[in-house]
Amino acid sequence: MAALRRELLATAEGRVLEIGAGTGRNITGYPAELTELMLTEPDPAMLRRLRRRLQRVHRAAATLCTGAETLPFESDSFDTVVGTLVLCTVPDPDAALREVRRVLRLGGRLLFIEHVRADDPELARRQDRWVRTWRAIAAGCHCNRATLALLDEHFDVGPTYRTADWRGMPSIVRPLICGQAVK
Ligand SMILES: C[S@@+](CC[C@H](N)C(=O)[O-])C[C@H]1O[C@@H](n2cnc3c(N)ncnc32)[C@H](O)[C@@H]1O
């Protein structure tokens, strides 16, 4: 996961927005020469930890307490949006992706790492069986979302994304996709 994050974040450019930034695990992975870094997170407790981390690592970034379904930013105003392990938790991922698309400029990219519904039917059935329990123990995370199909509805994902295996995690959240979705 750390290597996937590093590889993906190194490609962020220009004016960058991160959604569901959590406690800021991505902040040290961004290139130093971004035009602007705006980190958003709806959970005030996580946002406090994110701000403390920014101070600790001496990284300049703006922060804002907001969910991805309503982003208080102008349309076509970001070059890059980043979301890692977020679309599994967002209550309305369709609305979130509509907003992400709105704030991205034409040709702008959503960089994503998400754990997703398994291609293997047996594992997908296990994900369906566990979804309620997992949601309760993992802060609202859905282990069975078909996030790639959803990304494809809003963006041009193309064949460039890669799949990976989230080692050390329970099987129901191990299937990962990582890549960029272009507006
Ligand atoms: C599994 S954590 C991932 C955190 C971080 N992105 C990372 O990669 O470590 C899921 C994050 O999604 C956030 N989240 C929950 N609802 C959200 C929403 N409606 N919009 C944006 N983020 C949301 C949570 O607060 C949490 O920070």
Side-chain angles (χ1 to χ4, degrees), residues 43-105:
D43 180 327
M46 287 212 185
L47 194 60
R48 274 196 296 279
R49 292 176 61 190
L50 165 65
R51 286 172 176 154
R52 280 202 295 272
R53 193 186 290 230
L54 279 171
Q55 283 179 345
R56 233 178 16 249
V57 302
H58 306 291
R59 174 86 213 208
T63 59
L64 194 69
C65 193
T66 183
E69 293 96 331
T70 45
L71 295 169
F73 305 113
E74 281 181 23
S75 301
D76 309 308
S77 60
F78 287 93
D79 302 292
T80 311
V81 175
V82 172
T84 58
L85 308 173
V86 172
L87 294 172
C88 54
T89 305
V90 167
D92 187 345
D94 194 52
L97 287 176
R98 236 180 290 125
E99 270 297 82
V100 168
R101 187 179 170 86
R102 182 184 65 76
V103 301
L104 270 175
R105 67 164 168 80

Side-chain angles (χ1 to χ4, degrees), residues 12-41:
E13 59 182 359
R15 188 165 187 241
V16 178
L17 166 69
E18 183 170 342
I19 56 168
T23 59
R25 298 191 72 155
N26 288 335
I27 58 182
T28 53
Y30 286 109
E33 61 276 5
L34 301 178
T35 311
E36 184 187 341
L37 180 58
M38 166 61 73
L39 306 171
T40 60
E41 164 57 43

Side-chain angles (χ1 to χ4, degrees), residues 115-118 123-131 133-135 137 142-145 169-175:
H115 67 80
V116 292
R117 187 173 187 81
L123 181 51
R125 275 196 295 277
R126 196 178 318 148
Q127 289 174 320
D128 291 339
R129 280 198 304 276
W130 274 88
V131 69
T133 309
W134 185 255
R135 246 169 71 193
I137 60 180
H142 298 69
C143 60
N144 64 346
R145 278 198 176 150
M169 293 297 283
S171 60
I172 54 173
V173 292
R174 284 178 72 138

